[in-house]
Amino acid sequence: CASCSGRVERALNGMPNVDKAAVNLATSRATVTGSAALDELVDMVRKTGYEVPTITEQYAVGDVTCASCVGRMEKALLALSGVQTAQVNLATLSAEVQFIPGIVDFSDLKHAVEESGYQLIKTEADEALEDVAEQERKREYLDIIKRLKIGAGFVITTFLVMHWNKLGLGELIPISKQANHLIQWILITPVQFWVGLHFHQSALASVRHGTANMHTLVSVGTSSAYFYSLLVLFAPELFMVQGIAAEVYFDTSGAIIVLILLGRFLEARAKGNTSQAIRKLMGLAPKTARVIRDGVEQDIPLSEVVAGDHVVVRPGEKAPVDGTIIEGTATLDESMITGESIPVNRGPGDPVVGGTINRTGAFTFEAQKVGKDTVLAQIVDMVQKAQGAKPPIARLADDVAAWFVPVVIVIALVTFLVWWLFGPEPALTYGLLNFISVLIIACPCALGLATPTSIMVGTGKGAEHGILVRGGEALETAHKLDVVMFDKTGTLTQGEPVLTDWTGDEEGLRLAASAEKRSEHPLAQAIVERAEKQNLKLSTPENFHSITGQGVDAIIEGRRVLVGTRRLMQENGMDVVEHSSTLEAYEEDGKTAMLVAIEGTLSGVLAVADTVKESSAQAVKALGEMGVEVVMLTGDNQRTANAIARQLGIQNVRAEVLPEHKSGEVKRLMDVGKTVAMVGDGVNDAPALAQANVGIAIGTGTDIAMEASDITLMSGDPRGVATAIRLSRATLRNIKQNLFWAFAYNVVLIPLAAGVWFPWFGILLSPIFVSFALLLFIVTVVTNALRLKRFKPF
């Protein structure tokens, strides 16, 4: 309204660096002149109580190979006015950018990224981010293979020439030492400048921006070996020691480039395995759908299906979109959506989820959610965002990577100077080789891959079992949960009352169900459903009366039937003493007990209850064994709540809690230092889910509950809570292992490469050995993350 725009306008004009600010209510835009920074303006608008709209987009990225690259790209994006957040993921080759539209657009983002030496790729309308990222991975993979094959051929030939005389080939074709060095130069030059071109290009781009990355280390190291050898070849007198010519190290230059490329090849192949979960999910949706239009069945592309279409699914086919069955029955395999392996029966009125497989039967359903609105599309989107997210533990690796490469370069230069000035002869050669070894053995790649690869595999594995994690922070927090608070109805219980007990005969049940036929009360529906399942023929009630809080009174086939409480029976002149013990026993078990009277005579007792899920007790036991306290939260009376808790083995019960007080119960535990997860499925659970450290929504519940949660259990099985915590613990343990080895590798081997131990043990590392060590370590980190693929749920 006008007062809103006036308030914002006055706030902006009150800022010291604003000359003039005007807010246009019609366009919802503010025009500001002056020297105030955009972030200052945005903060002021928010302090006034309003919001500056932002959008979040995901893009594929190219030429990003290490943690330093990630940091530089994020820095370039965040430097743009209007960009609020930027996260680049090395494992998924993707970037998520939040920015203010109108201030910055994709062309600005793309230009900034390209200026920093990388690529930003926007997906087309009919493309998925994972497809574009996969294309980029494949392009890079094929380029690496091509360069690796050619480089390996040249390097192997170079080693053959190096050892020409040792292999006895000099007797056949004599080659002088000078000619041998010349041939090595000719063979290695294409390796140095074509096979290793990407390393040098990336290094030059980073130098232009005053930064450094993994490629800087490789480029400087190999170039040092190459140009030193070139000087030895054409000006040998400069490096002679006691009249002996220095050796050339063309083989070192070429072998390092080929071995680093081999490491990138193995890394790319292993990283391809980490994204299998997304590709499996995306592959669930068929490419086409069979719809009925104008009375004719026709196959059309999936993208052309619209809400309201009647879709036909035959045995063995997949449902293309979400909807409701209108004709036919089927047995559907929903395992890739919910994680449940047992197929479910579906008929008219039942929901169908796109991507599920029709095992038996044929059916027609009405399409209701298509495109990005389908459950499968939302699952893919949630998994992609989770795999691209950075948990708090990743900040450690990012902080280290920011200064890692510059520090390594300094260590390498100090190593060179110390060996040149104080080392034994040939001091220059020793200094150069150790300088190269330090540069090559440093491994920011491992730091960059330690976290995202584990997150990718962990969240992907969760998706396979119907556990969707919204972000990396939730995955990290879940491993340290102290308390899991379950809402009772629909979470630990089925959420629908059923008739559990009846002490009378079949005829009495038939008459009681007939009397309840017109009642809309859930307890009445439970009685009717039980009678219908037993194929009892129900009659239409006459003179039906619903007595609030007591029961019903109706005439069935000329007989008066009462169904209800003790009070209803007593007011109609009946003695309930003989049934008192039965009523009390049922009520003690948390059931709602009702009496049935026919023509003034009590004929039996009905007991209705919301039954617990078969897996609830197993979930509670599993959490207890993990050291997690379980609390049950319910609006039921204390006696009913205690009865359910006894069945499940829950010691801590919060009964008679109103919906609006659930979040308060969560906060109360958090205030005493507990890390709390809330598990629920209803609209009234959403505030508590949002309040908790980790909100876990049962996927069979409402969309609002799922939106407010951090983790969604698609199957509705409460055992998924324990599985999610176990998955979190396994993933965090894996990340910590990777980070430990990444730090340990560098801490131990960088001094070794520098020759620190040489004075005492005479140990020096060959640069070629160093390249092998680097290759093995990168592959080890990725392979360790892939161990999470063996994770098993409860």
Side-chain angles (χ1 to χ4, degrees):
C1 65
S3 63
C4 299
S5 59
R7 193 177 299 125
V8 173
E9 199 170 279
R10 286 191 297 274
L12 293 173
N13 280 312
M15 295 177 67
N17 295 324
V18 172
D19 297 331
K20 184 179 180 181
V23 177
N24 188 316
L25 179 60
T27 60
S28 295
R29 295 178 72 88
T31 304
V32 184
T33 57
S35 59
L38 179 64
D39 287 344
E40 294 175 344
L41 299 173
V42 171
D43 286 343
M44 179 55 71
V45 171
R46 288 173 177 165
K47 286 177 182 176
T48 314
Y50 302 97
E51 192 54 69
V52 177
T54 62
I55 59 174
T56 302
E57 298 283 355
Q58 285 191 313
Y59 307 102
V61 299
D63 299 329
V64 178
T65 56
C66 71
S68 301
C69 303
V70 168
R72 192 158 86 247
M73 184 183 284
E74 288 178 346
K75 187 176 179 181
L77 289 168
L78 290 170
L80 290 173
S81 179
V83 173
Q84 301 292 289
T85 62
Q87 284 194 344
V88 178
N89 189 293
L90 178 61
T92 60
L93 291 179
S94 64
E96 183 174 283
V97 187
Q98 182 188 30
F99 57 92
I100 302 172
I103 302 294
V104 66
D105 58 22
F106 173 70
S107 60
D108 300 318
L109 303 176
K110 182 179 174 68
H111 178 71
V113 168
E114 288 178 346
E115 279 290 299
S116 64
Y118 305 102
Q119 298 180 58
L120 193 70
I121 307 162
K122 188 176 184 179
T123 58
E124 299 298 330
D126 58 345
E127 287 183 307
L129 174 68
E130 181 62 25
D131 288 337
V132 175
E134 185 62 25
Q135 290 168 12
E136 180 61 26
R137 271 194 291 267
K138 190 173 291 185
R139 182 197 64 76
E140 179 187 6
Y141 186 72
L142 293 174
D143 184 64
I144 290 173
I145 289 176
K146 179 175 69 175
R147 293 176 188 269
L148 183 59
K149 286 180 178 177
I150 294 172
F154 279 119
V155 169
I156 290 171
T157 305
T158 300
F159 275 97
L160 185 67
V161 171
M162 278 180 61
H163 302 287
W164 191 260
N165 291 327
K166 290 181 181 179
L167 295 172
L169 298 175
E171 297 178 4
L172 299 174
I173 306 175
I175 300 177
S176 68
K177 185 174 183 178
Q178 183 71 9
N180 190 297
H181 290 174
L182 186 63
I183 294 171
Q184 289 184 48
W185 170 60
I186 293 170
L187 289 169
I188 291 301
T189 295
V191 178
Q192 178 69 25
F193 296 107
W194 181 78
V195 176
L197 178 63
H198 182 66
F199 299 132
H200 307 310
Q201 288 176 331
S202 179
L204 287 172
S206 66
V207 169
R208 284 200 304 271
H209 292 85
T211 59
N213 60 17
M214 173 68 183
H215 291 167
T216 306
L217 303 179
V218 176
S219 179
V220 172
T222 58
S223 296
S224 299
Y226 178 86
F227 287 110
Y228 168 81
S229 300
L230 199 61
L231 284 172
V232 170
L233 176 62
F234 291 106
E237 64 280 358
L238 295 176
F239 302 98
M240 283 190 177
V241 178
Q242 298 177 353
I244 301 173
E247 291 295 327
V248 296
Y249 293 96
F250 290 118
D251 62 312
T252 299
S253 165
I256 288 171
I257 286 175
V258 168
L259 287 170
I260 298 294
L261 267 182
L262 178 59
R264 285 189 60 196
F265 162 75
L266 295 173
E267 174 193 327
R269 193 165 72 172
K271 278 164 61 180
N273 290 332
T274 65
S275 61
Q276 282 181 355
I278 288 284
R279 293 202 293 274
K280 282 182 181 178
L281 286 169
M282 293 177 66
L284 287 178
K287 302 299 181 186
T288 62
R290 184 177 295 106
V291 302
I292 301 174
R293 291 182 178 172
D294 299 324
V296 178
E297 285 189 16
Q298 51 185 293
D299 290 335
I300 62 172
L302 183 63
S303 59
E304 294 181 12
V305 179
V306 297
D309 272 338
H310 285 191
V311 184
V312 178
V313 181
R314 295 172 181 167
E317 295 180 342
K318 295 177 180 178
V321 295
D322 298 358
T324 301
I325 296 177
I326 55 178
E327 183 182 342
T329 58
T331 303
L332 298 182
D333 179 354
E334 299 179 346
S335 57
M336 276 303 290
I337 301 294
T338 65
E340 290 291 327
S341 59
I342 301 174
V344 294
N345 297 320
R346 295 282 187 248
D350 289 334
V352 175
V353 178
T356 54
I357 303 171
N358 180 18
R359 293 299 185 194
T360 61
F363 62 93
T364 301
F365 72 96
E366 181 181 337
Q368 294 172 334
K369 292 183 179 180
V370 299
K372 293 184 177 180
D373 295 328
T374 64
V375 170
L376 180 58
Q378 291 172 11
I379 290 174
V380 170
D381 180 63
M382 190 180 291
V383 175
Q384 282 178 332
K385 287 180 178 177
Q387 293 190 337
K390 287 186 179 179
I393 196 171
R395 294 171 195 153
L396 174 63
D398 288 348
D399 291 342
V400 171
W403 53 260
F404 182 86
V405 174
V407 167
V408 168
I409 292 175
V410 170
I411 293 173
L413 288 172
V414 171
T415 298
F416 174 75
L417 290 173
V418 170
W419 276 95
W420 189 21
L421 296 174
F422 305 107
E425 292 297 338
L428 181 62
T429 300
Y430 276 127
L432 177 69
L433 292 177
N434 289 313
F435 169 78
I436 295 169
S437 293
V438 170
L439 292 177
I440 300 304
I441 207 161
C443 190
C445 290
L447 289 172
L449 290 169
T451 299
T453 47
S454 297
I455 292 290
M456 278 189 73
V457 180
T459 53
K461 198 66 183 174
E464 287 181 21
H465 297 294
I467 300 168
L468 305 183
V469 183
R470 189 173 293 276
E473 189 164 350
L475 190 67
E476 179 168 343
T477 305
H479 89 284
K480 52 186 179 184
L481 287 171
D482 302 311
V483 179
V484 172
M485 185 173 280
F486 283 95
D487 174 62
K488 178 184 75 69
T489 306
T491 304
L492 293 171
T493 66
Q494 299 290 352
E496 295 181 0
V498 295
L499 180 63
T500 58
D501 301 276
W502 164 238
T503 62
D505 57 21
E506 197 171 78
E507 177 64 9
L509 177 59
R510 185 183 73 83
L511 293 173
S514 298
E516 296 280 15
K517 194 174 178 182
R518 282 189 180 174
S519 174
E520 295 181 356
H521 196 284
L523 300 181
Q525 295 302 311
I527 297 169
V528 172
E529 286 178 10
R530 170 68 175 273
E532 288 177 343
K533 282 183 180 178
Q534 292 185 205
N535 297 317
L536 302 180
K537 186 178 179 181
L538 304 186
S539 299
T540 302
E542 299 175 8
N543 298 330
F544 175 84
H545 297 287
S546 178
I547 305 163
T548 304
Q550 294 190 47
V552 298
D553 182 351
I555 302 298
I556 309 296
E557 299 170 0
R559 288 178 284 182
R560 187 186 181 196
V561 178
L562 296 175
V563 183
T565 64
R566 295 178 180 85
R567 182 180 173 186
L568 177 64
M569 303 304 164
Q570 289 168 343
E571 288 182 353
N572 282 273
M574 284 170 272
D575 186 359
V576 299
V577 174
E578 65 175 295
H579 294 287
S580 294
S581 59
T582 304
L583 290 168
E584 290 171 3
Y586 287 151
E587 288 169 349
E588 192 64 31
D589 287 339
K591 300 173 182 178
T592 300
M594 294 170 283
L595 293 158
V596 177
I598 301 170
E599 288 291 299
T601 302
L602 291 173
S603 63
V605 180
L606 295 164
V608 177
D610 181 9
T611 57
V612 299
K613 294 178 180 177
E614 292 181 5
S615 56
S616 293
Q618 297 172 20
V620 172
K621 182 181 178 182
L623 289 167
E625 290 173 348
M626 294 166 66
V628 178
E629 181 185 359
V630 177
V631 177
M632 189 178 79
L633 200 63
T634 178
D636 287 345
N637 62 64
Q638 192 70 52
R639 185 166 64 176
T640 301
N642 288 340
I644 297 294
R646 281 197 302 274
Q647 293 181 50
L648 299 175
I650 298 175
Q651 304 299 319
N652 198 335
V653 180
R654 309 287 169 84
E656 301 177 26
V657 178
L658 297 175
E660 60 269 26
H661 295 159
K662 289 182 178 179
S663 60
E665 290 290 331
V666 173
K667 188 174 185 301
R668 192 176 63 79
L669 285 173
M670 293 172 65
D671 287 343
V672 296
K674 300 288 187 180
T675 304
V676 182
M678 174 66 193
V679 187
D681 75 325
V683 172
N684 57 23
D685 296 325
L689 291 169
Q691 173 68 53
N693 298 105
V694 178
I696 303 177
I698 296 294
T700 50
T702 66
D703 291 340
I704 295 175
M706 292 170 68
E707 279 297 317
S709 67
D710 303 299
I711 298 174
T712 300
L713 308 180
M714 294 301 295
S715 68
D717 188 337
R719 288 177 299 182
V721 176
T723 299
I725 295 173
R726 280 186 63 236
L727 179 64
S728 170
R729 291 179 178 180
T731 304
L732 264 292
R733 185 166 56 248
N734 195 275
I735 289 172
K736 289 175 181 177
Q737 289 168 354
N738 283 346
L739 287 174
F740 170 80
W741 288 113
F743 285 118
Y745 170 88
N746 287 292
V747 167
V748 172
L749 291 187
I750 286 178
L752 182 60
V756 170
W757 296 351
F758 180 78
W760 297 280
F761 304 105
I763 298 175
L764 283 177
L765 291 181
S766 161
I768 295 177
F769 172 81
V770 165
S771 301
F772 268 114
L774 175 62
L775 179 157
L776 291 172
F777 184 66
I778 292 174
V779 174
T780 298
V781 168
V782 180
T783 304
N784 186 49
L786 289 173
R787 288 193 308 111
L788 283 170
K789 296 183 80 171
R790 299 202 296 265
F791 175 85
K792 299 292 183 184
F794 279 107

